[in-house]
Amino acid sequence: MVTFEDPTRGHGASTVVDSGNYRFETPLIIGDYTITIQASPPPPSAMASQPPASAIAQTIPTKYQKVAGSGLKAKVTEGTNKFDFELKH
């Protein structure tokens, strides 16, 4: 799951990451965001073929899972925006 949070305005949005890709259904408000990325458990239909959620969570370094330490930023502007985030272990 990727979350865009604007702490100065107290709003944000989250969406599910699927195969490394994400898309917000509703456009984000223009502004500066801090990004967090957390593992999403697989859907119930895929649970048997997926590793446990704890194993999935370990693939994302802890620092990217909290606003205070993620260091990931994005400036949403008018029009189409694309943000790719490299997670370093």
Side-chain angles (χ1 to χ4, degrees):
M1 176 171 299
V2 63
T3 301
F4 280 53
E5 184 174 326
D6 179 347
T8 60
R9 294 189 219 166
H11 68 80
S14 296
T15 191
V16 175
V17 177
D18 183 16
S19 300
N21 299 301
Y22 65 94
R23 175 181 215 110
F24 290 98
E25 296 298 320
T26 304
L28 295 172
I29 296 171
I30 293 171
D32 296 313
Y33 291 84
T34 299
I35 314 312
T36 58
I37 301 176
Q38 300 170 331
S40 299
S45 61
M47 291 292 274
S49 64
Q50 296 289 324
S54 59
I56 295 170
Q58 292 175 2
T59 64
I60 300 174
T62 305
K63 70 179 182 177
Y64 299 115
Q65 298 180 36
K66 298 182 181 180
V67 171
S70 85
L72 301 175
K73 304 285 184 188
K75 184 175 190 74
V76 173
T77 58
E78 189 173 333
T80 302
N81 291 263
K82 180 178 179 179
F83 303 104
D84 294 323
F85 302 104
E86 181 179 345
L87 306 183
K88 297 179 183 178
H89 287 272

